Amino acid sequence: MDNNKHYWFPAKSYGWGWGFPKTWQGWLVLLAYLAGIAAAVVFVRPEARPIEFYMIVGALTIALLIVCWFKGEPPKWRWGRN
């Protein structure tokens, strides 16, 4: 069995969570997330419809976190890479 998994998002060195992507798939996911936020700003207009805007941003963020959870290193609190 292969113990060297291919993670899209490496764990942060300090704290809990993930850092910047290390594969093209991870970068594609991150760019899609940012494009979704930009599209929401342009098409939903947060100053005119703030509830819809924040719902879209929340849904995009939850989707990003789900991808990070399944395609990233297992999250745990870290105090450095020693």
Side-chain angles (χ1 to χ4, degrees):
M1 179 167 238
D2 186 25
N3 289 335
N4 190 8
K5 293 193 176 203
H6 185 69
Y7 295 116
W8 293 1
F9 299 93
K12 291 173 29 178
S13 297
Y14 293 92
W16 191 92
W18 303 275
F20 283 108
K22 66 178 183 178
T23 66
W24 68 268
Q25 295 97 331
W27 282 106
L28 187 65
V29 169
L30 184 61
L31 290 175
Y33 172 77
L34 295 174
I37 299 291
V41 168
V42 171
F43 295 113
V44 178
R45 307 298 305 177
E47 66 276 358
R49 299 184 345 220
I51 293 173
E52 292 90 347
F53 174 75
Y54 289 118
M55 287 177 65
I56 291 169
V57 170
L60 289 170
T61 302
I62 288 169
L64 177 63
L65 288 172
I66 289 170
V67 171
C68 287
W69 187 269
F70 286 105
K71 300 305 285 184
E73 284 187 65
K76 67 178 183 179
W77 193 262
R78 299 179 198 289
W79 293 100
R81 297 245 186 228
N82 46 0

